[in-house]
């Protein structure tokens, strides 16, 4: 076995009826989301390497992101707020990620600072969209309902 020395993150998601979304199958959106997300390849979205599932859990192997979430970073910068330039760079990346998701008919549905991850402590603006547990595919019916 060859060692690559690459780091990955590992999540175990519990399947629960609480986490199912209206219109989802009885196994819930956790099953649908990682599998669909693994086909997404965009620099502004966390990469899912692989997903495994059994009756009770979904196990997800993700790209490793060491910088923590945007919410924690904003709180840690209490004396030094983000500049307008830094803020616009973050917003631009998030909007490009959302544009890509929407082009694939995917709605994130839980976009917040806690779900924007930073690749390292030295870069304050390279946020990646994460946490697709309640994401769903847009259908013709849902688009009609939204309009």
């Amino acid at each position: 076995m060859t060692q690559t020395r690459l780091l990955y993150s590992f999540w175990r998601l519990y399947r629960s009826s609480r986490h199912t979304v209206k219109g989802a199958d009885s196994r819930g959106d956790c099953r649908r989301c990682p599998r669909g997300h693994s086909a997404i390849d965009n620099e502004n979205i966390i990469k899912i390497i692989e997903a495994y599932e059994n009756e009770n859990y979904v196990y997800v192997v993700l790209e490793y992101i060491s910088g923590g979430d945007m919410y924690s970073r904003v709180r840690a910068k209490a004396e030094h707020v983000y500049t307008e330039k830094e803020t616009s760079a973050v917003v631009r990346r998030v909007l490009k990620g959302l544009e890509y998701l929407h082009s694939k008919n995917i709605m994130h549905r839980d976009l917040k600072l806690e779900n924007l991850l930073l690749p390292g402590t030295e870069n304050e603006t390279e946020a990646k969209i994460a946490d697709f547990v309640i994401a769903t595919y847009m259908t013709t019916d849902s688009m009609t309902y939204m309009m």
Side-chain angles (χ1 to χ4, degrees):
M1 176 184 238
T2 305
Q3 289 188 344
T4 61
R5 298 200 183 272
L6 296 175
L7 295 174
Y8 297 101
S9 179
F10 181 78
W11 286 6
R12 181 178 78 170
L13 305 170
Y14 178 69
R15 287 198 181 150
S16 165
S17 60
R18 292 183 309 160
H19 296 110
T20 59
V21 176
K22 184 178 177 182
D25 65 21
S26 61
R27 297 179 77 174
D29 274 354
C30 289
R31 175 176 178 239
R32 200 170 45 157
C33 168
R35 203 173 261 154
H37 183 263
S38 63
I40 293 173
D41 188 18
N42 185 277
E43 66 181 350
N44 303 308
I45 300 167
I46 192 168
K47 180 71 176 156
I48 289 185
I49 308 302
E50 191 64 64
Y52 309 93
E53 58 185 294
N54 64 25
E55 233 175 82
N56 299 316
Y57 297 98
V58 175
Y59 303 92
V60 185
V61 180
L62 303 159
E63 147 188 29
Y64 181 69
I65 303 289
S66 64
D69 64 70
M70 196 76 185
Y71 180 77
S72 299
R73 188 68 59 88
V74 167
R75 290 192 46 103
K77 289 182 77 161
E79 19 341 292
H80 168 71
V81 295
Y82 275 83
T83 65
E84 183 178 343
K85 186 177 180 178
E86 289 171 326
T87 303
S88 67
V90 171
V91 170
R92 187 176 301 111
R93 288 184 66 93
V94 171
L95 290 175
K96 284 182 179 183
L98 286 175
E99 179 181 43
Y100 179 84
L101 288 172
H102 292 172
S103 75
K104 301 286 186 187
N105 291 328
I106 298 171
M107 287 188 296
H108 186 278
R109 302 187 338 157
D110 194 23
L111 197 59
K112 56 188 176 185
L113 291 177
E114 291 91 335
N115 291 336
L116 299 177
L117 302 182
L118 297 162
T121 54
E122 66 284 341
N123 194 320
E124 304 281 331
T125 61
E126 289 189 13
K128 291 188 174 213
I129 300 171
D131 195 351
F132 285 76
V133 172
I134 65 170
T136 190
Y137 288 99
M138 292 184 285
T139 62
T140 305
D141 294 338
S142 67
M143 284 190 258
T144 303
Y145 177 74
M146 289 171 31
M147 293 180 177

